[in-house]
């Protein structure tokens, strides 16, 4: 048996990089030259990397997280030293032999494992309770927030009614985005961030200047539907009511999903389909898509990081996790919290996929349950990127050429599109992405190893 477990591929390591600069810098450290005292076991990789100072940097990676620690001053996670170490481990077995971690690495790894065991044991007793110190006070705060959101939804309904009474042209004449920004700010005051985000989208539609009246009417209709759903949620089926609450901005704590009295987890071997980061300057959002090998269910894990709070969970595409997931409530559950892991992550196979017609049907089925969905994750098999027949944009076509799906305009001009075309070379391949009303947004392709786009 390999004492180090199954090694990752180079593509899986590079998928962890926070940006292109980190990929390049990590690649320069992927040779034995700057490294010493490297080693690995089934759950970790460690080593010393020579830097500009007298003392080498201490880098260690918990493969089961994965999580990273380095003594360098970089604020990127993982830093170039962690990436270089993983690339060395993935590419040259002799350069990273098996062994026991040194003290500096072992202490950090032991601390992580102890926290994980404590978290896993908390629900069965002995751990600190997550229940609020004053349940009645928490209940009163929740009721006050519901009242504020209700008042905000009522005010927003009046705003939409005024717009339709005066005509959509008034939105453009009023300066487009500015008036909607003011309304969005009032939704923030009402503690309804979901409503605020949709109101800002109305301003963006007007400012786009492209077929904006039709798009504005569509967005207003969806916003009206959401308002009415929240104001009349007691008449909705419980799953749909949960979807409405999440859409206006009421969230459920991940810990409550995993440890509550009615917690229900789904155990499966989950294949990591994609990892995607976005940064608005203040907050970094990481989206990790997974699909169950046995259940076939899709899942989305969300995590957030900001200044002084790095993103801890990183899962490159192609890994398989034997783990428990707890889905957030909703009419079409997708977002999930990661619970107990039953084995270390290991490389997985190319996922089975469907055709374009089946992908569109899957999005339609999801949209029936959640009319506010922009897209639904799907794996397409035997498709190839080709220029659209009208010369405007690109599309994915089935191998027989009978069905085609336009690519989301947001991916046009990105390097990912040219990566996809280069990987395909005109031949069919497997692609994972999001299928929605804008088209298909590719996130990962298999060649046969996964490549993040």
């Amino acid at each position: 048996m390999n004492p180090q477990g199954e090694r990752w591929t180079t593509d899986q390591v590079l998928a962890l990089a926070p940006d292109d600069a980190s990929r390049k810098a990590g690649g320069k450290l992927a040779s034995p030259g700057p490294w010493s005292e490297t080693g690995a076991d089934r759950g970790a990789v460690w080593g010393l990397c020579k830097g500009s100072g007298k003392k080498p940097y201490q880098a260690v990676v918990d493969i089961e997280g994965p999580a990273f620690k380095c003594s360098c001053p970089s604020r990127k996670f993982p830093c170039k030293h962690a990436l270089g170490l993983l690339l060395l481990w993935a590419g040259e077995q002799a350069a990273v032999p098996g062994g026991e971690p040194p003290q500096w690495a072992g202490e950090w790894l032991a601390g992580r494992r102890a926290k994980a065991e404590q978290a896993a044991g908390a629900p069965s007793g002995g751990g600190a309770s997550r229940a609020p110190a004053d349940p009645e006070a928490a209940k009163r705060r929740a009721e006050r927030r519901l009242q504020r959101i209700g008042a905000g939804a009522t005010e927003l309904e009046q705003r939409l009614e005024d717009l339709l009474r005066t005509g959509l042209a008034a939105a453009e004449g009023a300066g487009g985005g500015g008036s909607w920004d003011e309304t969005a700010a009032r939704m923030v005051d009402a503690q309804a961030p979901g409503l605020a985000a949709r109101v800002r989208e109305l301003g963006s539609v007007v400012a786009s200047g492209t077929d904006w009246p039709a798009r504005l009417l569509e967005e207003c209709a969806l916003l009206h539907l959401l308002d009415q759903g929240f104001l009349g949620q007691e008449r909705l089926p419980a799953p749909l009511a949960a979807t409405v609450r999440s859409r206006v901005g009421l969230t459920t704590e991940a810990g409550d999903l995993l440890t509550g009295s009615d917690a229900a987890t789904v155990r499966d071997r989950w294949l990591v389909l994609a990892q995607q980061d976005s940064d608005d300057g203040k907050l970094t959002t990481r989206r990790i898509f997974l699909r169950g090998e046995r259940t076939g269910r899709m899942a989305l894990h969300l995590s957030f990081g900001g200044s002084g709070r790095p993103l801890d969970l990183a899962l490159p595409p192609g890994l398989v996790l034997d783990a428990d997931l707890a889905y957030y409530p909703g009419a079409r559950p997708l977002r999930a919290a990661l619970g107990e892991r039953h084995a270390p992550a290991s490389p997985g196979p190319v996922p089975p996929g469907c055709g374009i017609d089946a992908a569109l049907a899957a999005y339609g089925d999801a949209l029936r349950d959640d009319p506010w969905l922009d897209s639904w994750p799907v794996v397409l098999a035997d498709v190839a990127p080709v220029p659209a027949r009208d010369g405007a944009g690109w599309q994915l076509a089935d191998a027989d050429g009978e069905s085609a799906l336009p690519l989301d305009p947001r991916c046009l001009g990105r390097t990912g599109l040219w990566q996809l075309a280069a990987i395909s070379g005109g031949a069919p391949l497997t692609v994972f992405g999001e299928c929605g009303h804008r088209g298909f947004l590719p996130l990962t392709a298999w060649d046969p190893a996964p490549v993040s786009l």
Side-chain angles (χ1 to χ4, degrees):
M1 178 182 295
N2 179 5
Q4 300 179 38
E6 293 190 70
R7 292 172 182 254
W8 295 354
T9 66
T10 297
D11 288 333
Q12 288 172 332
V13 174
L14 292 176
L16 296 170
D19 50 41
D20 288 337
S22 297
R23 290 187 184 93
K24 294 178 182 178
K28 294 178 180 179
L29 296 175
S31 61
W35 292 96
S36 61
E37 299 184 28
T38 55
D41 59 19
R42 291 192 61 83
V45 185
W46 59 85
L48 301 178
C49 186
K50 183 179 180 181
S52 56
K54 293 182 179 180
K55 296 183 61 177
Y57 295 122
Q58 299 173 337
V60 56
V61 181
D62 181 353
I63 300 299
E64 296 181 14
F68 319 91
K69 181 176 177 59
C70 184
S71 59
C72 75
S74 175
R75 297 179 64 182
K76 295 181 179 181
F77 291 88
C79 67
K80 64 180 182 181
H81 305 102
L83 288 171
L85 176 62
L86 286 175
L87 289 170
L88 183 65
W89 170 67
E92 298 192 35
Q93 183 169 358
V96 186
E100 293 294 323
Q103 182 178 358
W104 55 268
E107 290 176 352
W108 179 75
L109 291 167
R112 280 189 53 80
R113 307 285 157 74
K115 289 180 181 178
E117 291 174 1
Q118 183 179 5
S124 59
S129 173
R130 288 182 52 85
D134 187 345
E136 288 301 318
K139 182 179 179 181
R140 289 194 297 270
R141 287 193 297 271
E143 289 174 348
R144 286 196 298 269
R145 184 178 181 188
L146 288 175
Q147 291 172 357
R148 292 192 187 100
I149 296 175
T154 301
E155 179 184 347
L156 186 52
E157 282 292 278
Q158 184 63 54
R159 175 79 164 87
L160 295 175
E161 183 179 334
D162 292 342
L163 174 64
L164 295 179
R165 183 185 299 112
T166 56
L168 296 181
E172 185 179 37
S179 58
W180 290 116
D181 287 343
E182 180 182 347
T183 305
R186 294 183 68 83
M187 295 304 103
V188 172
D189 293 340
Q191 295 183 289
L195 291 180
R198 288 197 165 267
V199 169
R200 291 192 193 96
E201 181 64 23
L202 298 182
S204 299
V205 167
V206 176
S208 70
T210 305
D211 192 26
W212 69 264
R215 293 177 55 208
L216 180 63
L217 188 59
E218 293 171 359
E219 292 296 333
C220 285
L222 287 172
L223 188 51
H224 167 69
L225 185 65
L226 184 56
D227 284 339
Q228 291 298 314
F230 183 81
L231 294 172
Q233 60 181 295
E234 68 280 354
R235 300 189 298 273
L236 300 178
L240 182 56
T243 295
V244 168
R245 287 193 293 271
S246 68
R247 290 295 181 185
V248 301
L250 290 168
T251 59
T252 303
E253 291 290 337
D256 295 336
L257 290 176
L258 296 166
T259 63
S261 58
D262 56 349
T265 59
V266 180
R267 180 177 177 179
D268 206 336
R269 282 171 47 84
W270 300 95
L271 175 64
V272 182
L273 297 172
Q275 176 178 286
Q276 185 184 44
D277 291 354
S278 59
D279 191 343
D280 63 4
K282 296 181 180 179
L283 186 71
T284 300
T285 302
R286 174 166 291 167
R287 303 192 306 158
I288 299 176
F289 290 94
L290 309 106
R291 185 169 71 177
E293 183 180 89
R294 174 180 56 83
T295 62
R297 294 185 67 175
M298 290 288 185
L300 170 63
H301 182 278
L302 287 177
S303 57
F304 305 93
S307 178
R309 188 181 62 175
L311 288 160
D312 186 46
L313 182 62
L315 296 173
L319 289 184
V320 172
L321 304 176
D322 182 358
D324 296 331
L325 290 187
Y327 282 88
Y328 286 75
R332 179 55 68 109
L334 179 63
R335 185 183 175 187
L338 181 61
E340 181 181 357
R341 300 191 195 186
H342 302 282
S346 60
V350 176
C354 65
I356 288 174
D357 293 340
L360 292 171
Y363 174 52
D365 288 343
L367 199 62
R368 179 186 57 202
D369 293 331
D370 183 352
W372 303 281
L373 269 178
D374 285 329
S375 60
W376 187 255
V378 294
V379 178
L380 295 175
D382 296 326
V383 294
V386 296
R389 292 179 180 178
D390 60 3
W394 285 68
Q395 59 187 13
L396 289 176
D398 278 338
D400 56 15
E402 294 185 359
S403 299
L405 182 62
L407 290 180
D408 190 320
R410 291 176 295 175
C411 74
L412 300 180
R414 294 184 179 179
T415 56
L417 173 59
W418 305 113
Q419 275 185 288
L420 180 61
I423 293 169
S424 168
L429 74 168
T430 298
V431 183
F432 167 75
E434 297 177 87
C435 181
H437 62 88
R438 298 186 183 94
F440 185 83
L441 183 65
L443 299 176
T444 307
W446 277 261
D447 181 38
V451 179
S452 296
L453 302 174

